[in-house]
Amino acid sequence: MTSAPPAPTLVGRWLVGTAIVLLAANLRVAVGSIGVVLESVRDDLGMSTTVGGVLTTLPVVCFAVFGVGSAGAVRRLGLHRAAALVLVLVLAGLASRAVVHDGALFLLCSIVALAGAAVGNVILPPLVKAHFPDRIPLVSSFYGAALMAGAATASVATVPLSDAFGGWRAGIGLWAVVAAVALVPWLVLLRRDVHAGPTTSERLALRDIARSPVAWAMVLVFTAQSAGAYAQFGWFAEILTDGGVSDGYAGVLLGLISAVGIPLTLALPWLIGLVGDRPYLPWAFSAVTAAGWLGVLLAPSTVPWLWALLLGLGGGAFTWTLTMIARRTRTTAGTAALSVATQGVGYLIAGLGPFGVGALHDLTGSWTVPLIALIVLPAFIAVFGTIVARPVMLEDSLGSRTGPRD
């Protein structure tokens, strides 16, 4: 049977809630801290442009590969030990890549940090399900905001830290200290772990949940959101500069997209309570995302702040999808299995987003066709988000292959 957490106390709930938020805050630091110093890293380590390009695609690949492969390890370790291991991997990867002097070793150290982040991605929903079954939207909004804040802070602060402490090595290495701080509460929580894995007869394997329309709808919503988001991170600023916006302003606007997502994510519990099981939120996320890309296509330099604002609002689909993973499962084991499937398969397909935008640009010689594709892509969020919004549980959609209630 799936083990349950100890009877909650006020102090215990605050401790585990804080631990979850700190864990989330560290899961995008390895991504956010590297892009802003990539040129210096490449120069010092003698990386070619191709190798630098591999580095920028590593997050999506690692999130897919290690996300899918983490289910068995999490089952054996337990959620608390898995969370501690995540932070150890992030800490080790961040610290070691700050001291290596070889491009291949730098990539390897980055993979270590990103592997930890990948496992962290998939254990967040079951952690919330296990400890806060009565506060899923609220706690999910907190960790979603922490994810965004961690990425944004790393992007903004890495260059000043590099300038203050003598170079990019210190700028990216100091984030290991943040991971060390986040590890402390998880070491305390190791005394009583929670296992997301049921007995063999009750286990939900990927082949089991592959029969569920709920699971496939969740995967497709997550894929559409992530493909658009990573295309946005990789190409939004360049598209704007090609359209007449200055480099500095384009960078600020890219930061605005992330900034908008934080208050929206914190407001998500209220919004979910307001709309209930009606699909208004995925429809809204789809509409504003399409409108933002349409604005970039038709008038990139006219009111670019408005297009950034709309795209930032559309990014709320990310946290909404993660929240729905826990809301559409009855058990912690079901949440863990659906989280692995959604993020593992979703990230794997989503890697085509940034690659496809670049390939279409090279083939056509302009941004028109890639932008049309990005305008159409959010339709998947609306269509399949309608299925996710329905109050149908994963376990119910599998017939007899359901585990007991937690």
Side-chain angles (χ1 to χ4, degrees):
M1 299 288 292
T2 302
S3 64
T9 63
L10 181 60
V11 173
R13 284 170 72 88
W14 272 103
L15 175 63
V16 73
T18 301
I20 288 171
V21 170
L22 288 174
L23 172 66
N26 281 273
L27 298 185
R28 295 295 181 273
V29 169
V31 180
S33 62
I34 193 62
V36 290
V37 292
L38 181 57
E39 184 176 357
S40 298
V41 172
R42 286 180 51 225
D43 290 343
D44 278 6
L45 300 183
M47 287 184 180
S48 66
T49 303
T50 301
V51 175
V54 169
L55 184 60
T56 63
T57 61
L58 273 181
V60 181
V61 174
C62 289
F63 290 166
V65 173
F66 293 104
V68 171
S70 66
V74 171
R75 251 194 323 267
R76 290 187 293 271
L77 288 172
L79 290 172
H80 293 180
R81 289 185 180 88
L85 177 60
V86 162
L87 289 166
V88 169
L89 289 173
V90 171
L91 190 161
L94 292 176
S96 59
R97 74 178 185 177
V99 298
V100 298
H101 293 271
D102 178 79
L105 286 176
F106 189 92
L107 289 175
L108 180 61
C109 295
S110 296
I111 289 172
V112 171
L114 292 167
V119 179
N121 289 338
V122 300
I123 66 173
L124 280 172
L127 276 169
V128 174
K129 182 76 170 182
H131 289 287
F132 299 94
D134 57 333
R135 295 288 187 271
I136 289 172
L138 178 64
V139 180
S140 296
S141 72
F142 282 144
Y143 83 62
L147 274 166
M148 297 177 186
T153 303
S155 296
V156 170
T158 296
V159 170
L161 287 172
S162 300
D163 293 341
F165 291 96
W168 63 265
R169 294 182 182 277
I172 65 173
L174 285 171
W175 295 107
V177 177
V178 181
V181 172
L183 178 61
V184 173
W186 288 109
L187 295 178
V188 175
L189 290 167
L190 291 181
R191 292 178 300 175
R192 178 73 181 272
D193 211 339
V194 180
H195 288 263
T199 62
T200 301
S201 63
E202 299 167 341
R203 188 173 301 162
L204 292 178
L206 288 178
R207 64 178 177 273
D208 298 321
I209 65 175
R211 297 183 287 110
S212 168
V214 174
W216 279 110
M218 197 80 71
V219 167
L220 291 170
V221 171
F222 189 86
T223 297
Q225 191 281 327
S226 296
Y230 279 90
Q232 171 184 291
F233 295 149
W235 299 109
F236 177 76
E238 185 171 340
I239 293 171
L240 287 187
T241 54
D242 285 353
V245 177
S246 69
D247 291 344
Y249 190 27
V252 170
L253 292 172
L254 187 58
L256 175 62
I257 293 176
S258 298
V260 169
I262 295 173
L264 175 63
T265 296
L266 292 174
L268 201 58
W270 175 77
L271 292 171
I272 290 175
L274 183 67
V275 304
D277 295 321
R278 294 180 291 271
Y280 299 155
L281 286 176
W283 293 355
F285 296 141
S286 174
V288 295
T289 301
W293 285 121
L294 180 62
V296 173
L297 173 63
L298 298 179
S301 61
T302 304
V303 280
W305 61 267
L306 178 59
W307 317 143
L309 177 64
L310 290 171
L311 291 172
L313 292 173
F318 173 73
T319 308
W320 179 80
T321 306
L322 295 184
T323 302
M324 298 308 289
I325 290 173
R327 284 173 64 88
R328 291 297 171 257
T329 50
R330 295 192 184 281
T331 64
T332 304
T335 306
L338 185 57
S339 181
V340 169
T342 298
Q343 298 191 64
V345 178
Y347 276 126
L348 185 63
I349 304 172
L352 296 173
F355 174 81
V357 167
L360 286 173
H361 177 264
D362 289 342
L363 285 172
T364 63
S366 77
W367 293 111
T368 300
V369 174
L371 284 170
I372 291 173
L374 289 170
I375 292 167
V376 173
L377 184 63
F380 286 87
I381 298 174
V383 172
F384 294 102
T386 300
I387 299 174
V388 172
R390 296 170 184 166
V392 177
M393 298 296 179
L394 171 73
E395 294 85 349
D396 296 342
S397 69
L398 299 177
S400 61
R401 282 289 295 172
T402 59
R405 287 179 183 267
D406 283 349

